[in-house]
Amino acid sequence: MKLSEQTRWVRHEAHGEIILNRPEKGNALTYAMLEDLGKICEEARGDRDLRAIVLRGEGDRFFCTGGDIEAWGSLTPHDMGRDWILFGIEAFERLRKLPQPIIAAINGHCLGGGLELAMAADLRLCTARAKFGTPEVTLGMIPGWMGVRRLAEIAGVSRARHLTLLGAPISAQTAESWGLVTAVCEDQEALQTKTAEWLAQLSGNGPSAMALVKGLLDTMHEDMAQHHASAVAQAAGTEDCREGVQAFLEKRRPTYTNR
């Protein structure tokens, strides 16, 4: 399996690690990384000796800061919906539907598409300094990889409104109280220790039983991919989105006109 240098797959005795490998860019996601996720999922699905998967970001500052704006900022609305949003949803869905349990070990800030990726995991834990947020509205954009719906399912509609409309991050402690994560670790060492404990527990469980449980829980999800892609394409076609992207690149505050 050939991957880009932006993603690493490390196969251990009973589990594997997916490592987002762009620490200098906040582990922001590119098209190549989405392709890598698909390749990893294809290999993992047929690996009967693989008991669990850990998903993490390289470095100690960021888990993932979302989709790289340089990857989508210049796309047309049509291409945005088809080539970026639907492709990303497909990659995340392939990850979410793997028979093996997935642990998102959130070693730093988890924002935008990074939070959407983390929500594709079955279990989430983080360091105490991690922050969580969906800042897309500050760019005139919306979460496109099923993030709005996933937030509502996991944290509730009211809290999903808080995150997606304000666009401001919340602390690890708030994320725990909202159910976005189920464990907060003091530091990186504690995160590794707790992840190892969870891996040991998962490895001792019946793999077929865990896969069946995941399948039962999966029935609560409806296919909303096309709806999300259409909404993102509509947002991408607004003058406000173009202004938000340009302001981000020019490092200034955007001036929105509601057009």
Side-chain angles (χ1 to χ4, degrees):
M1 177 177 57
K2 184 175 178 56
L3 303 177
S4 74
E5 295 182 353
Q6 300 173 352
T7 315
R8 289 193 287 132
W9 168 244
V10 182
R11 182 66 167 85
H12 300 281
E13 183 177 354
H15 75 277
E17 281 186 281
I18 301 172
I19 304 168
L20 309 177
N21 192 35
R22 297 183 77 209
E24 74 286 354
K25 294 289 187 178
N27 293 318
L29 297 167
T30 65
Y31 191 86
M33 295 167 79
L34 296 177
E35 286 187 315
D36 291 340
L37 279 176
K39 293 175 184 177
I40 292 168
C41 289
E42 183 176 357
E43 180 166 305
R45 177 169 291 280
D47 189 342
R48 298 181 66 85
D49 295 323
L50 185 67
R51 292 291 183 262
I53 296 171
V54 176
L55 174 65
R56 66 178 179 86
E58 187 61 63
D60 59 2
R61 292 188 60 202
F62 302 103
F63 170 74
C64 178
T65 54
D68 191 330
I69 198 168
E70 294 181 4
W72 63 263
S74 62
L75 295 176
T76 66
H78 178 267
D79 290 345
M80 178 80 164
R82 181 193 63 187
D83 299 335
W84 183 248
I85 297 303
L86 285 177
F87 190 72
I89 289 174
E90 180 183 357
F92 287 11
E93 285 293 281
R94 292 182 72 179
L95 182 70
R96 187 177 64 80
K97 290 180 178 180
L98 284 176
Q100 299 91 350
I102 301 164
I103 301 172
I106 301 167
N107 50 307
H109 300 333
C110 182
L111 306 170
L115 179 54
E116 292 177 297
L117 175 59
M119 288 191 294
D122 301 292
L123 303 167
R124 288 172 294 278
L125 71 166
C126 68
T127 55
R129 62 178 297 277
K131 292 187 181 299
F132 298 79
T134 54
E136 286 89 343
V137 289
T138 66
L139 297 174
M141 183 41 71
I142 65 173
W145 289 326
M146 305 291 282
V148 177
R149 184 176 178 84
R150 294 285 182 263
L151 276 171
E153 290 173 349
I154 294 170
V157 173
S158 178
R159 288 163 174 169
R161 292 183 196 274
H162 179 100
L163 272 174
T164 55
L165 295 179
L166 290 177
I170 59 173
S171 67
Q173 292 72 26
T174 299
E176 183 182 28
S177 70
W178 286 10
L180 282 176
V181 298
T182 53
V184 177
C185 304
E186 183 177 351
D187 52 27
Q188 287 278 75
E189 183 177 354
L191 181 73
Q192 293 173 359
T193 299
K194 177 59 72 172
T195 301
E197 289 177 5
W198 285 7
L199 284 170
Q201 288 179 276
L202 293 171
S203 296
N205 295 339
S208 295
M210 291 191 294
L212 288 168
V213 168
K214 288 189 61 169
L216 289 171
L217 291 171
D218 192 47
T219 60
M220 68 180 291
H221 297 293
E222 295 180 11
D223 184 6
M224 296 290 289
Q226 294 291 337
H227 181 73
H228 273 258
S230 176
V232 172
Q234 183 176 342
T238 65
E239 293 180 15
D240 277 353
C241 183
R242 288 191 288 273
E243 164 64 10
V245 170
Q246 192 63 33
F248 177 86
L249 295 174
E250 295 175 359
K251 295 181 171 55
R252 59 174 173 81
R253 285 183 63 86
T255 301
Y256 291 127
T257 59
N258 200 23
R259 289 181 174 83

